[in-house]
Amino acid sequence: MISRVYRLVDTKRIEMVLREVEFEDDVVLTAPDYLSICAADQRYYFGKRSREILKIKLPMALIHEATATVLYDNSGRLKQGSKAVLVPLIEKARTSGIKSNYDPANPYVSSGIDGFIRDYVAVQRNRLIPIEGEYLPIYVFSELLSVAINALEAFDSTRCTDAGTVGIWGDGNMGYITSLALKCLYPDVEIIVVGKTLRKLQRFSFVDRTYTFDEVPNGISIDHAFECVGGSSSETAIKQIFDITMPQGCISLLGVSEEAVPINTRTVLEKGFRIIGNNRSNADDMKKAVSLIRDSDICKKYLTTLISEIVEVKEEKDISHAFEQSSLNDFKTIMKMEI
């Protein structure tokens, strides 16, 4: 069976290639329905990674956030036409003591190997999470939500003081979904969000307080923090976090920066901070995310507001259009595959 794969070959240049779909005993054939463009996809598409990295990674099909329709499962466990979330992590190794999404032996689609932007995807059965009940576009955010869940579980096992008041820096997609996960899973925690854009902060109506970077009140303090800014603004965010976080606070880093970000190690030592790095997720995290979307009305309601635009992809040029739109939209741009 032949599938069309839409690969990024250079900055803003996507080309279609034909690839044979390989079948094995534990593989399920699917057709992607909804694909969500994330910040990592944008960095590749717009050439915001170093030329050295792009030479290594490209050509490559983008997208690691996807839902799909099951076309064929030779085991009969998954019915034809049923819906599922695709897991981007390929677990080739299980190193003792290391969570699978941090094991460098395990590839992640759209990061060195082809992602989900293609006609057909054949995946191992353990990389499919069935969607029960109503099939909503917001299930495409399961991967992003699972990253927040992964970070919250690390936070819970690392912190040594009460959750109390938690600050989240970042008014983009990662800041939004981390705030929402915290609201759903820790309903008694006071949540403060700090961001750059008032327009975006107005979407965070479910948190307790919001501030722009330059309007954080003097004398305010928080118990713990999540940094979801990334990029060149990470340094400013981390400095502000260090200034107002209480001693022995847990500081969780989720923002991605292409350049090294300096931190004040003296403050880390004096305050006894516990700093955690968080990246990606695995199938177990994604199962929890799918269940949270299914069972939580609050999660459903506010994930819906994360959608800025749904672009129907009926021909190849619509893919580039969706990426261009994603740079203009405040939050998530989704592609609905009809090609």
Side-chain angles (χ1 to χ4, degrees):
M1 185 176 189
I2 301 298
S3 175
R4 291 175 295 181
V5 181
Y6 303 93
R7 308 183 89 193
L8 182 70
V9 297
D10 201 351
T11 301
K12 295 187 176 184
R13 184 179 160 200
I14 291 176
E15 293 183 357
M16 185 271 290
V17 295
L18 299 177
R19 290 288 183 268
E20 186 174 355
V21 180
E22 297 182 1
F23 287 92
E24 298 174 6
D25 289 341
D26 65 340
V27 163
V28 178
L29 181 65
T30 70
D33 293 326
Y34 292 103
L35 305 176
S36 177
I37 298 173
C38 85
D41 299 316
Q42 291 174 322
R43 285 192 292 272
Y44 282 118
Y45 180 82
F46 291 105
K48 293 184 178 180
R49 300 212 64 183
S50 70
R51 293 306 302 177
E52 291 75 15
I53 293 294
L54 293 175
K55 284 179 183 179
I56 295 170
K57 299 281 190 178
L58 303 184
M60 177 178 68
L62 300 176
I63 305 297
H64 58 266
E65 302 176 32
T67 63
T69 298
V70 173
L71 300 180
Y72 177 72
D73 177 8
N74 63 0
S75 74
R77 298 178 203 169
L78 297 172
K79 293 182 179 179
Q80 181 179 2
S82 61
K83 308 297 183 180
V85 173
L86 302 180
V87 177
L89 181 72
I90 302 172
E91 295 195 23
K92 291 187 174 182
R94 285 188 175 271
T95 303
S96 177
I98 298 177
K99 192 172 178 180
S100 57
N101 49 296
Y102 295 112
D103 194 322
N106 293 330
Y108 212 81
V109 305
S110 78
S111 180
I113 61 173
D114 282 338
F116 293 135
I117 189 162
R118 54 180 107 173
D119 291 346
Y120 305 110
V121 180
V123 296
Q124 291 80 12
R125 196 171 291 104
N126 62 5
R127 292 179 54 217
L128 278 176
I129 303 172
I131 296 173
E132 301 173 1
E134 186 179 4
Y135 184 44
L136 302 168
I138 57 173
Y139 277 102
V140 79
F141 300 145
S142 297
E143 190 276 340
L144 184 61
L145 181 59
S146 71
V147 174
I149 289 173
N150 169 55
L152 286 173
E153 289 185 346
F155 159 74
D156 203 39
S157 63
T158 303
R159 66 184 174 90
C160 61
T161 61
D162 291 341
T165 300
V166 175
I168 295 176
W169 269 252
D171 53 20
N173 297 318
M174 195 70 244
Y176 186 96
I177 211 154
T178 301
S179 302
L180 181 57
L182 189 62
K183 177 70 175 180
C184 293
L185 299 175
Y186 297 79
D188 297 327
V189 167
E190 182 182 17
I191 305 172
I192 297 173
V193 175
V194 180
K196 293 189 292 186
T197 309
L198 183 60
R199 180 184 69 256
K200 290 184 179 181
L201 287 171
Q202 290 172 344
R203 294 281 192 100
F204 290 72
S205 58
F206 53 88
V207 304
D208 297 284
R209 286 178 280 166
T210 61
Y211 302 109
T212 57
F213 276 104
D214 56 356
E215 292 181 343
V216 177
N218 292 328
I220 191 174
S221 66
I222 59 173
D223 296 294
H224 309 282
F226 289 81
E227 184 275 312
C228 304
V229 176
S232 59
S233 297
S234 287
E235 181 178 355
T236 301
I238 291 171
K239 182 181 184 303
Q240 198 167 56
I241 288 169
F242 282 10
D243 287 342
I244 68 174
T245 301
M246 293 291 286
Q248 292 197 285
C250 182
I251 298 172
S252 181
L253 305 179
L254 289 96
V256 177
S257 300
E258 293 298 314
E259 304 296 331
V261 177
I263 65 170
N264 187 337
T265 56
R266 179 177 292 276
T267 304
V268 175
L269 302 178
E270 289 177 348
K271 289 192 172 184
F273 288 148
R274 299 186 175 196
I275 300 178
I276 321 169
N278 303 280
N279 188 39
R280 299 176 176 169
S281 61
N282 62 17
D284 288 339
D285 298 315
M286 291 190 67
K287 288 174 184 175
K288 294 170 186 175
V290 170
S291 296
L292 184 59
I293 295 172
R294 182 192 66 220
D295 298 335
S296 171
D297 290 337
I298 292 176
C299 191
K300 283 193 187 76
K301 175 182 177 180
Y302 288 105
L303 278 184
T304 300
T305 69
L306 191 61
I307 301 173
S308 287
E309 184 176 1
I310 297 179
V311 177
E312 294 184 352
V313 176
K314 296 183 177 179
E315 50 187 325
E316 193 173 330
K317 68 179 183 180
D318 294 333
I319 298 171
S320 294
H321 172 68
F323 274 93
E324 295 295 336
Q325 287 300 110
S326 74
S327 69
L328 303 175
N329 292 329
D330 283 343
F331 291 101
K332 278 290 196 176
T333 303
I334 296 173
M335 290 181 281
K336 184 179 182 183
M337 299 302 287
E338 298 181 349
I339 198 165

